[in-house]
Amino acid sequence: MIERDFATSVPNRDFELEERLHETIYRKYIKTFTDQLDRMETVADFVRDDSYHGIESGHHRAYKLQCGTERKTYLESPDGLRRYEFMIEFDFDDASYGIYYGCRGLIMGGDQEEQIHIFDKEWQNLQHEVCQVLNNTFPELDFTGRFQLTNNANNRTYWPFWISLYAGEDIIDVAARATRLMARVYHHFQNTNEAPLQETNKKETVREIPNFTEEKYQCIIQEIKRKARTYVKGNGEDQVKAFEDFFINGEKMGIFEKDDRYEKAWRIRGHKNVEVAVLIKQYCEVNGLKTNGIPWGYFEDLILSEKGSMLDDLKKSLAMSKGNSEKWAKEFIKNMTNLK
């Protein structure tokens, strides 16, 4: 329901309309999550259980992993004072969190504050191990920094950590599998005396430099110099000048124009992608830019089509070239040499 705070409302506010719109938008938003959650009904080792301490929650939907040979929905500490539920959950009262998964602790006895301290200490000891296992299992993902801490300790429950399911990640392939792995790590160290890792194996990922930026342009310049030293045995200055001239003279001849919506981008004018692909190939061959193959990526990261879309695959476009494209490209390169 829309809260009717007249003091902060604009004049002529239509509360009834807003309430209808709010309900429509909310249902559409919620459906994106419930569609994913519905798929968990098919996963054999997870059971639908919206309760905590046997009390049904009125606004959560949860799927709990069955652990061990007895298929209980929790692991239990040796002293019986704590239980660990590995689960996937959604909170209808706070839908902005989306779907999340992780470990929820149940305090079965003892002093509540002391048991929370134990949950935290255990997680501090195990988080590096959990992160390593997840990173090794999901080569396309990096869980470093994705673990969230809880902001409450209600009803003798406590989440040592939780993870949001990102948009585009599958609830079964990512959330359910990751939840199983977390439980396995906890179970392993609960039943062994092995010391957990203290250093996470953070993935050594190369930062993706955004396309159509000055940073990308300079990165390409440095790459041209590096390849020249490797393949041409020179300092690369001639290749760099040839690359820079391609765009400078291309603008003068009306082949490209600067697209000022971007930091560093050129847009094709009056020519097809295939024609530009042929031009790039011949230009690279003539001007020594063909080091270990045509560097298509240099141009795809800076040039846009006439309609403003990305040039996804210039090499593929080249395969569709016709003889007239070859002739046009040769004439263009010849004329470029006459430009100052």
Side-chain angles (χ1 to χ4, degrees), residues 243-259:
F243 182 75
E244 293 172 335
D245 285 348
F246 178 81
F247 293 99
I248 294 170
N249 294 328
E251 283 188 67
K252 291 179 180 179
M253 296 180 66
I255 306 301
F256 307 112
E257 65 179 356
K258 277 279 184 67
D259 192 329

Side-chain angles (χ1 to χ4, degrees), residues 210-335:
N211 296 330
F212 311 112
T213 61
E214 182 66 39
E215 186 180 8
K216 172 64 78 170
Y217 185 80
Q218 295 302 325
C219 181
I220 291 170
I221 296 298
Q222 294 306 314
E223 180 70 5
I224 290 172
K225 291 180 180 180
R226 186 190 66 79
K227 284 194 171 183
R229 289 193 294 270
T230 302
Y231 297 105
V232 185
K233 307 303 181 186
N235 58 16
E237 295 301 326
D238 290 342
Q239 289 85 351
V240 167
K241 187 176 187 308
F243 182 75
E244 293 172 335
D245 285 348
F246 178 81
F247 293 99
I248 294 170
N249 294 328
E251 283 188 67
K252 291 179 180 179
M253 296 180 66
I255 306 301
F256 307 112
E257 65 179 356
K258 277 279 184 67
D259 192 329
D260 60 10
R261 299 172 303 167
Y262 299 88
E263 288 181 27
K264 201 82 169 180
W266 286 266
R267 196 162 172 171
I268 298 171
R269 289 183 57 191
H271 293 280
K272 298 177 182 178
N273 294 1
V274 62
E275 294 174 324
V276 174
V278 173
L279 172 63
I280 290 171
K281 175 180 179 294
Q282 293 191 6
Y283 187 85
C284 288
E285 290 174 344
V286 170
N287 289 278
L289 282 165
K290 185 183 177 181
T291 50
N292 197 32
I294 303 296
W296 297 107
Y298 295 173
F299 302 92
E300 290 169 345
D301 293 345
L302 296 170
I303 301 176
L304 296 157
S305 74
E306 189 166 24
K307 293 183 178 180
S309 58
M310 293 183 65
L311 304 181
D312 292 329
D313 196 336
L314 286 172
K315 187 176 181 180
K316 186 176 181 180
S317 295
L318 182 68
M320 298 184 290
S321 64
K322 302 290 179 65
N324 56 346
S325 296
E326 300 276 347
K327 183 179 179 181
W328 169 81
K330 288 178 181 178
E331 188 67 22
F332 171 82
I333 294 169
K334 180 181 178 181
N335 291 336

Side-chain angles (χ1 to χ4, degrees), residues 154-202:
N154 300 331
N155 291 311
R156 296 182 71 84
T157 68
Y158 183 74
W159 289 75
F161 69 93
W162 55 275
I163 301 172
S164 289
L165 183 67
Y166 286 175
E169 293 180 348
D170 185 78
I171 193 169
I172 295 176
D173 293 342
V174 177
R177 176 170 286 123
T179 302
R180 292 188 193 98
L181 294 169
M182 295 169 189
R184 292 175 72 93
V185 173
Y186 266 81
H187 185 263
H188 175 78
F189 289 102
Q190 193 179 79
N191 290 277
T192 68
N193 293 320
E194 184 179 341
L197 288 177
Q198 294 304 309
E199 294 294 333
T200 185
N201 65 329
K202 182 175 180 178

